[in-house]
């Protein structure tokens, strides 16, 4: 919408770069172009504003397939006004000189023209194919047919309209039919999911079995190794016992030999000692055979005195001394 301001009976119009302005005064075109800005008098001015930017037109309509199934078509048509002069001549793009608002509804007229033409071509395509084919390949077929039909529509270039692009968003059947169509697919997907689950379980079971077999084989091998270890330990123990017994026998034999030799040496020494003692005793007896008895008694007393405990002090009374002298004197006289 153009921006119009008022100043003392004059009007000033300022348009956007995407709006084409045509200013007629007295039946003649004074200004014609996009993004214009000028002063004018409202009573003598005839203004029209034609948008020249790309516009999106959303469409939604129902169609029927070859097997009499209803489908809804959602599409979008992008268009632009390539010839603003032709569009301003064929459609009412005039604006109020005081407010800059369109007096008519030109864009609605263009939307109706595009919708009717596009819908006609889409219906013609869908009426020739069944629902299943329409749901699989219908989007591309409808899009191509709509684009070709709008390009061949003679009213559009005469009105200055150029179709930039056509997009078909979706083709949808009725909800009940859609649910019925989804059921086999869902069941197939579920079957595939179940099959995949079973396969994963089977793979897991197979892996667990392989793991269990490996563990069992490891345990068996370990038991065999332990059995070999026990046998080897037994052999080692027997060998050690045999070697220990042999060592003990050698040690015992050596000890017995040593004991016998020691006993023989002790016996020989004892015999020699006995013989020496006997010879000494014999010699002692021979030496004392010729000694007087009084001398022997004196020696015996001396030996006996040597065995008596030590006497620190000895007190002899006169009576004991007299008797002892008398005995000694008597012994000497005899």
């Amino acid at each position: 919408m153009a921006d119009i301001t008022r100043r003392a009976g004059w009007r000033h119009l300022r348009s956007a770069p995407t709006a084409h302005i045509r200013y007629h005064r007295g039946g003649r075109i004074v200004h014609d172009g996009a993004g214009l800005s000028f002063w004018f008098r409202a009573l003598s001015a005839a203004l029209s504003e034609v948008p020249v930017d790309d516009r999106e037109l959303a469409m939604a309509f129902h169609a029927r397939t070859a097997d009499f199934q209803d489908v809804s078509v959602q599409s979008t048509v992008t268009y632009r006004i390539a010839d603003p002069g032709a569009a301003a001549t064929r459609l009412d793009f005039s604006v109020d000189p005081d407010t800059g608002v369109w007096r008519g509804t030109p864009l609605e007229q263009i939307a109706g023209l595009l919708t009717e033409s596009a819908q006609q071509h889409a219906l013609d395509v869908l009426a020739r194919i069944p629902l299943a084919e329409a749901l699989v390949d219908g989007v591309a077929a409808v899009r191509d047919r709509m684009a070709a039909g709008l390009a061949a529509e003679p009213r559009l270039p005469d009105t200055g309209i150029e179709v930039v692009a056509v997009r078909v968003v979706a083709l949808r059947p009725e909800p009940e039919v859609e649910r019925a169509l989804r059921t086999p697919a869902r069941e197939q997907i579920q079957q595939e999911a179940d099959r995949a689950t079973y396969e994963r379980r089977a793979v897991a079971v197979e892996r667990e079995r392989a793991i269990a077999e490996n563990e069992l084989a490891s345990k068996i091998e370990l038991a065999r190794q332990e059995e070999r270890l026990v046998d080897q330990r037994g052999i080692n123990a027997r060998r050690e016992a045999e070697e220990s017994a042999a060592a003990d026998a050698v040690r015992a034999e050596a000890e017995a030999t040593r004991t016998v030799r020691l006993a023989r040496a002790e016996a020989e020494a004892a015999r020699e000692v006995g013989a020496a003692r006997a010879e000494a005793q014999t010699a002692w007896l021979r030496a004392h055979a010729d000694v007087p008895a009084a001398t022997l008694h004196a020696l015996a007393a001396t030996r006996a005195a040597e065995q008596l405990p030590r006497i620190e002090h000895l007190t002899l009374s006169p009576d004991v001394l007299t008797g002892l002298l008398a005995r000694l004197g008597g012994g000497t006289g005899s």
Side-chain angles (χ1 to χ4, degrees):
M1 183 179 66
D3 184 11
I4 298 177
T5 57
R6 292 181 288 181
R7 292 289 187 277
W10 288 85
R11 303 289 187 272
H12 182 270
L13 182 143
R14 182 177 60 188
S15 63
T18 57
H20 187 94
I21 303 298
R22 290 170 63 91
Y23 171 36
H24 292 76
R25 186 177 62 191
R28 293 182 300 105
I29 297 178
V30 179
H31 296 288
D32 187 9
L36 298 180
S37 178
F38 54 86
W39 291 91
F40 67 93
R41 287 186 176 273
L43 295 177
S44 60
L47 300 173
S48 61
E49 180 182 5
V50 181
V52 293
D53 57 336
D54 291 351
R55 300 263 171 165
E56 300 283 344
L57 176 61
M59 303 179 186
F61 53 88
H62 290 274
R64 179 168 293 182
T65 61
D67 50 359
F68 305 101
Q69 298 295 326
D70 290 336
V71 294
S72 60
V73 182
Q74 297 178 3
S75 61
T76 302
V77 175
T78 303
Y79 69 94
R80 61 184 294 269
I81 299 177
D83 188 354
T89 302
R90 300 292 295 270
L91 301 174
D92 185 11
F93 281 96
S94 62
V95 297
D96 190 313
D98 291 329
T99 61
V101 178
W102 279 319
R103 291 176 176 177
T105 56
L107 295 182
E108 293 181 3
Q109 294 176 3
I110 295 175
L113 176 62
L114 292 173
T115 300
E116 290 176 0
S117 180
Q119 184 175 355
Q120 178 183 357
H121 297 293
L123 293 177
D124 183 62
V125 173
L126 293 174
R128 300 174 184 274
I129 58 177
L131 177 61
E133 184 179 352
L135 294 178
V136 175
D137 301 324
V139 172
V142 171
R143 182 188 63 241
D144 296 341
R145 182 62 179 275
M146 288 174 61
L150 291 175
E153 179 64 38
R155 295 176 56 190
L156 297 179
D158 293 343
T159 314
I161 300 173
E162 178 185 354
V163 176
V164 178
V166 176
R167 298 187 302 276
V168 177
V169 180
L171 290 175
R172 293 186 178 277
E174 293 182 347
E176 295 80 5
V177 178
E178 187 174 6
R179 284 194 295 269
L181 293 175
R182 287 179 178 177
T183 301
R186 287 182 177 177
E187 292 179 353
Q188 184 177 359
I189 293 173
Q190 186 63 39
Q191 291 176 0
E192 294 293 334
D194 294 340
R195 185 179 300 109
T197 302
Y198 296 150
E199 290 177 356
R200 287 196 299 271
R201 291 179 179 176
V203 172
V205 170
E206 182 65 21
R207 290 179 179 175
E208 291 178 357
R209 185 185 63 80
I211 293 173
E213 290 181 354
N214 293 334
E215 291 180 353
L216 181 59
S218 300
K219 291 180 179 179
I220 293 174
E221 183 64 23
L222 181 61
R224 290 176 181 175
Q225 296 294 334
E226 290 180 352
E227 182 179 2
R228 293 176 183 175
L229 180 60
V230 170
D231 294 341
Q232 188 63 38
R233 286 179 177 175
I235 294 172
N236 294 338
R238 287 194 297 272
R239 184 177 300 171
E240 183 178 359
E242 292 175 356
E243 292 179 356
S244 178
D248 292 341
V250 172
R251 191 182 302 109
E253 184 178 357
E255 184 67 22
T257 302
R258 188 180 68 81
T259 303
V260 170
R261 291 178 180 177
L262 182 61
R264 290 177 180 175
E266 290 179 353
E268 185 66 23
R271 283 196 298 271
E272 292 180 357
V273 170
R277 288 180 178 177
E279 292 178 359
Q281 188 69 25
T282 302
W284 186 80
L285 291 176
R286 268 196 313 269
H288 290 79
D290 298 332
V291 177
T295 302
L296 294 177
H297 290 164
L299 291 174
T302 301
R303 290 290 181 91
E306 291 177 356
Q307 301 299 323
L308 292 175
R310 183 177 180 182
I311 300 173
E312 296 292 340
H313 301 282
L314 178 63
T315 304
L316 298 177
S317 63
D319 296 334
V320 175
L321 184 58
T322 302
L324 180 60
L325 292 175
R327 290 179 181 177
L328 291 174
T332 306
S334 64

